[in-house]
């Protein structure tokens, strides 16, 4: 069975030694009293909960899956899930970063996000049940997808008919709804996209409704069963323990959220948060896969090192002596630690966006969060697919065998590239909307942060091995962006041709920036005798030497443009 140790030391390094989150958070009225000890203590407890209560249910949940009783439409999650959820609620975990005025713990989002990384390392499928809600007593879903539409929600057909009492009767079919039905909580609140009778066609005619499984009575107690049912559960590649439900709405009572026909905008508030959440799912899987692959690579003996025996007392060397095994391990480690730094920085910007009393700062942070959200979603999830696959490969044939748990990480990681908007859609959002659609304003804001760092460290000799390639990539990205923008004026399909590679170049630029910042701290402390800093520096060097060069081929591919993709007539495929 895989093991998991919460990476508390690395979390503390990023929070307190790289980002200095406490100083930044203290500037926000809601967190004026925050201190490092509180943050560390919460993460330690959160890590214990994840590793001791949630992680042991990961493999058994995957093997058992969920079961639907077709007569009652009720779904049972795997054994132990309900009890673990009760402990989660009892511990106050659902509302860690919610406002104390509403019963929350009032902690910063950056703490909650790190807690979620640990939950996802422990058990992504379980973590998806409470993933969209904070009440504890009830859970929530997002009901967007229909059989004929996923990416293009403008095509959706579910209907909402106004009733005399101000509610709506919702009719339609939704598919692929995560945690759509289960027995963990007493009620499930579905957020459903549907069309009003007079709605315009396309995405401008979609409204958002709250449709609870049980309609609450005036006193908040559970009332009548609403007409929203699970018709079937999907059989799927991974996250078996999460119920992916086909949801049928048969005149279900719904309440309009926000304004009519503005449902998609309202839904995006939740979707943006969920996209960051998907990034955290993949970060969690990258970390846990890495931990288990390292343990195996130190233990498994196979062949001698090419340069001669490293452990002559044994009949063969541990596979960690082989350069390519190290490459696979370091790739996963560099993606996990780089991702953790970006995730925490992004969430810190979110804390400032939501909590600053300075309007300009709120706007600045909102722009930065908007810019990096598609990168967190797509770059982390693509990287996790690479990393979990590498970590499985470290196990050789044993990685492919269920009992080791490595193939589950690969299967679970794959969905993260698809849902919450496929990674292609994320790349179009980044290049089309956030960069070109905004005349590069948001990108320039991030570029200014990178430039300031490069200028500050211009005379730091020891850091030049990081600063120079970072500055070089920044220049190349600026030129590339202008080039694609010019081409796109001639043919908008040029955006679609470049977007996926472009997002990966941006992902590397952002990672390179955070790796340079982490290397700076590690360089300053490497003589302290703490091997943590030696390892950090070695990983930073690995990232710059072995992973960052991928940008050269990505840029070439971007520049090759649309023509090679469109040259072949559709009939020839
Ligand atoms: C396990 C699981 C859980 C899910 N959970 C939820 C949930 O809780 N709630 C919910 O509402 N949905 C959920 N989904 C649905 C998911 O969000 C959609 O599957 C996803 O958005 C893609 O939609 P689609 O499957 O219809 O694919 P399509 O939209 O048909 O896309 C097919 C392919 O075409 C590509 N494509 C489409 N348009 C473009 C374009 N303009 N440019 C380039 N490429 C394009 C896509 O990237 C994709 O590769 C879930 C799906 C799964 C499998």
């Amino acid at each position: 069975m895989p093991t998991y140790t919460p990476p508390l030391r690395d979390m503390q390094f990023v929070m307190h030694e790289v980002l200095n989150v406490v100083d930044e958070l203290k500037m926000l009225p809601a967190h004026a009293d925050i201190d490092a000890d509180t943050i560390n203590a919460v993460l330690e407890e959160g890590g214990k909960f994840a590793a001791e209560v949630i992680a042991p249910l990961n493999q058994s949940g995957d093997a058992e899956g969920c079961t639907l009783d077709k007569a009652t439409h009720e779904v049972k999650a795997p054994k132990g899930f309900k009890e673990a959820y009760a402990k989660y609620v009892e511990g106050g975990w659902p509302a860690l970063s919610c406002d104390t005025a509403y019963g929350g713990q009032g902690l910063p989002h950056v703490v909650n996000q790190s807690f979620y990384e640990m939950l996802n390392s422990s058990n992504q499928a379980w973590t998806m049940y409470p993933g969209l809600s904070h009440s504890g007593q009830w859970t929530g879903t997002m009901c967007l997808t229909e059989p004929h539409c996923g990416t293009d929600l403008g095509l959706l057909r579910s209907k909402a008919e106004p009733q005399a009492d101000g509610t709506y009767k919702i009719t339609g079919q939704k598919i692929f709804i995560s945690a759509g039905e289960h027995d963990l909580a007493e009620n499930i609140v579905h957020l459903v996209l549907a069309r009003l009778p007079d709605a315009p066609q396309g995405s401008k005619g979609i409204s958002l409704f709250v449709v609870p499984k049980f309609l609450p009575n005036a006193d908040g107690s559970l009332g009548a069963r609403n007409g929203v049912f699970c018709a079937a559960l999907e059989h799927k590649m991974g996250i078996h323990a999460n119920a992916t439900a086909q949801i049928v709405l048969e005149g279900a009572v719904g309440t309009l959220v926000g304004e009519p026909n503005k449902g998609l905008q309202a839904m995006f508030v939740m979707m943006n948060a969920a996209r960051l959440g998907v990034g955290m799912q993949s970060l969690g899987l990258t970390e846990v896969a890495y931990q288990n692959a390292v343990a195996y690579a130190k233990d498994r003996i196979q062949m001698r090192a090419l340069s001669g025996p490293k452990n002559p007392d044994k009949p063969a060397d541990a596979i960690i002596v082989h350069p390519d095994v190290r490459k696979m391990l370091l790739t996963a480690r560099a993606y996990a630690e780089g991702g953790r730094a970006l995730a925490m920085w992004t969430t810190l910007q979110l804390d400032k966006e939501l909590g600053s009393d300075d309007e300009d700062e709120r706007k600045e942070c909102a722009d930065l969060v908007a810019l990096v959200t598609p990168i967190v979603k797509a770059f982390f999830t693509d990287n996790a697919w690479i990393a979990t696959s590498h970590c499985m490969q470290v196990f050789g044939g044993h990685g492919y065998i269920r009992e080791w748990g490595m193939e589950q990480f690969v299967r679970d990681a794959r969905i993260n590239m698809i849902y919450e908007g496929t990674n292609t859609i994320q790349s179009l959002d980044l290049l089309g909307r956030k960069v070109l659609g905004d005349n590069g304003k948001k990108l320039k804001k991030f570029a200014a942060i990178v430039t300031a760092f490069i200028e500050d460290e211009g005379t730091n000799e020891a850091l030049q091995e990081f600063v120079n390639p970072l500055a070089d990539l920044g220049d190349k990205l600026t030129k590339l962006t202008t080039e694609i923008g010019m081409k796109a004026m001639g043919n908008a399909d040029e955006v679609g041709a470049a977007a996926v590679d472009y997002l990966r170049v941006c992902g590397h630029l952002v990672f390179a920036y955070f790796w340079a910042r982490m290397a700076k701290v590690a360089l300053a402390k490497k003589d302290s005798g703490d091997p943590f800093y030696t390892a950090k520096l070695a990983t930073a060097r690995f990232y710059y030497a072995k992973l960052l060069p991928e940008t050269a081929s990505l840029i070439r591919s971007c520049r090759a443009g649309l023509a090679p993709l469109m040259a072949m007539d559709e009939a020839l495929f």
Side-chain angles (χ1 to χ4, degrees), residues 326-455:
R326 288 172 159 254
K327 188 176 175 198
M328 292 190 280
L329 295 174
L330 280 162
T331 298
R333 182 175 180 139
Y335 282 150
E337 294 180 8
R340 186 168 297 122
L342 171 56
M344 283 194 191
W345 178 85
T346 306
T347 319
L348 183 62
Q349 306 316 304
L350 192 66
D351 273 313
K352 294 198 276 186
E353 175 192 340
L354 301 174
S356 174
D357 49 11
D358 174 347
E359 199 183 325
D360 290 345
E361 185 178 36
R362 284 204 302 273
K363 168 89 181 70
E364 182 80 11
C365 293
D367 280 351
L368 289 169
V369 172
L371 178 76
V372 298
T373 294
I375 298 175
V376 170
K377 197 287 184 177
F379 195 56
F380 283 28
T381 61
D382 284 350
N383 290 346
W385 176 237
I386 297 167
T388 54
S389 176
H390 277 358
C391 292
M392 183 179 108
Q393 186 82 5
V394 168
F395 281 68
H398 302 274
Y400 200 69
I401 304 301
R402 280 211 168 169
E403 101 190 55
W404 289 93
M406 299 306 287
E407 54 84 46
Q408 186 188 346
F409 298 140
V410 181
R411 286 187 287 106
D412 287 356
R414 191 61 183 84
I415 185 58
N416 301 343
M417 298 155 76
I418 298 173
Y419 59 20
E420 285 308 331
T422 63
N423 284 2
T424 303
I425 297 306
Q426 303 302 319
S427 71
L428 291 171
D429 177 45
L430 177 71
L431 179 58
R433 256 164 42 92
K434 308 267 168 77
V435 175
L436 300 178
D438 174 56
N439 284 326
K441 279 195 216 123
K442 291 187 185 72
L443 188 64
K444 281 183 191 141
K445 285 185 182 175
F446 191 80
I449 296 173
V450 177
T451 306
F453 175 78
I454 291 169
E455 282 171 5

Side-chain angles (χ1 to χ4, degrees), residues 261-308:
N261 302 328
K262 297 264 168 68
L264 216 47
Q265 290 96 312
M267 199 80 222
F268 259 101
V269 175
M270 192 158 185
M271 277 164 77
N272 282 328
R275 285 175 176 181
L276 292 177
V278 175
M280 299 315 286
Q281 294 180 327
S282 278
L283 175 56
L285 289 174
T286 304
E287 172 67 33
V288 71
Y290 167 73
Q291 288 187 13
N292 285 279
V294 167
Y296 190 82
K298 286 184 176 174
D299 186 57
R300 175 76 170 172
I301 57 167
Q302 211 70 196
M303 305 282 287
R304 289 293 184 194
L306 290 173
S307 54

Side-chain angles (χ1 to χ4, degrees), residues 22 44 49 74 93 107 149 153 216 239 276 278 292 302 326 339 350 365 460 463 478 481 484 511 525 551-552 554 556:
V22 172
E44 195 176 329
F49 176 80
E74 295 292 322
W93 296 111
L107 283 160
C149 75
L153 292 170
I239 52 164
L276 292 177
V278 175
N292 285 279
Q302 211 70 196
R326 288 172 159 254
L350 192 66
C365 293
N460 184 346
L463 210 61
T478 307
T481 308
I484 300 169
F511 268 37
K525 298 186 179 177
T551 51
L554 290 166
R556 278 189 73 173

Side-chain angles (χ1 to χ4, degrees), residues 506-571:
C506 292
H508 274 302
L509 177 86
V510 177
F511 268 37
Y513 165 68
F514 284 106
W515 268 116
R517 284 186 64 178
M518 293 193 282
K520 182 186 164 186
V521 179
L523 273 166
K525 298 186 179 177
K526 75 175 190 326
D527 297 329
S528 65
D530 183 345
F532 178 88
Y533 300 109
T534 317
K536 188 62 79 178
L537 197 54
T539 312
R541 288 186 171 134
F542 167 82
Y543 176 78
Y544 268 77
K546 292 285 192 186
L547 298 181
L548 193 61
E550 185 195 357
T551 51
S553 64
L554 290 166
I555 290 171
R556 278 189 73 173
S557 171
C558 275
R559 298 191 67 191
L562 184 63
L565 303 172
M566 295 312 198
M568 198 154 91
D569 194 86
E570 192 176 317

Side-chain angles (χ1 to χ4, degrees), residues 22-97:
V22 172
D23 292 349
E24 298 243 16
L25 290 167
K26 271 179 175 297
M27 310 291 282
L28 309 176
H31 303 303
D33 298 329
I34 196 79
D35 60 76
D37 287 348
T38 307
I39 292 177
N40 295 347
V42 172
L43 288 180
E44 195 176 329
E45 278 309 303
K48 256 191 226 158
F49 176 80
E52 290 171 14
V53 180
I54 306 302
L57 302 172
N58 196 36
Q59 267 192 309
S60 56
D62 180 63
E64 186 186 336
C66 300
T67 38
L68 167 69
D69 180 335
K70 286 210 164 150
T72 61
H73 303 286
E74 295 292 322
V75 170
K76 264 195 186 337
K79 204 160 152 258
F81 272 45
K82 187 176 171 157
E83 293 73 15
Y85 184 75
K87 285 189 189 159
Y88 173 78
V89 175
E90 205 179 284
W93 296 111
L96 206 57
S97 60

Side-chain angles (χ1 to χ4, degrees), residues 175-295:
I175 59 165
F176 300 162
I177 304 308
S178 296
E181 181 58 64
H182 58 80
D183 59 347
L184 269 60
E186 63 179 34
N187 203 0
I188 301 172
V189 181
H190 302 282
L191 277 172
V192 179
L193 290 180
R195 282 182 188 287
L196 293 166
D198 54 351
Q201 295 218 319
S203 57
K204 294 204 168 90
I206 298 173
S207 303
L208 180 62
F209 301 87
V210 166
V211 183
K213 177 178 170 183
F214 289 100
L215 293 163
N217 296 317
D219 63 359
S221 61
L222 294 189
R225 180 73 170 85
N226 203 358
V228 51
F229 300 105
C230 173
L233 291 178
E234 304 296 350
H235 300 279
K236 55 197 193 287
M237 176 179 178
I239 52 164
H240 290 158
N242 193 269
T244 307
Q246 289 179 24
I247 296 285
V248 176
L249 298 132
E250 293 171 346
V253 177
T255 309
L256 181 70
V257 181
E259 289 176 50
N261 302 328
K262 297 264 168 68
L264 216 47
Q265 290 96 312
M267 199 80 222
F268 259 101
V269 175
M270 192 158 185
M271 277 164 77
N272 282 328
R275 285 175 176 181
L276 292 177
V278 175
M280 299 315 286
Q281 294 180 327
S282 278
L283 175 56
L285 289 174
T286 304
E287 172 67 33
V288 71
Y290 167 73
Q291 288 187 13
N292 285 279
V294 167

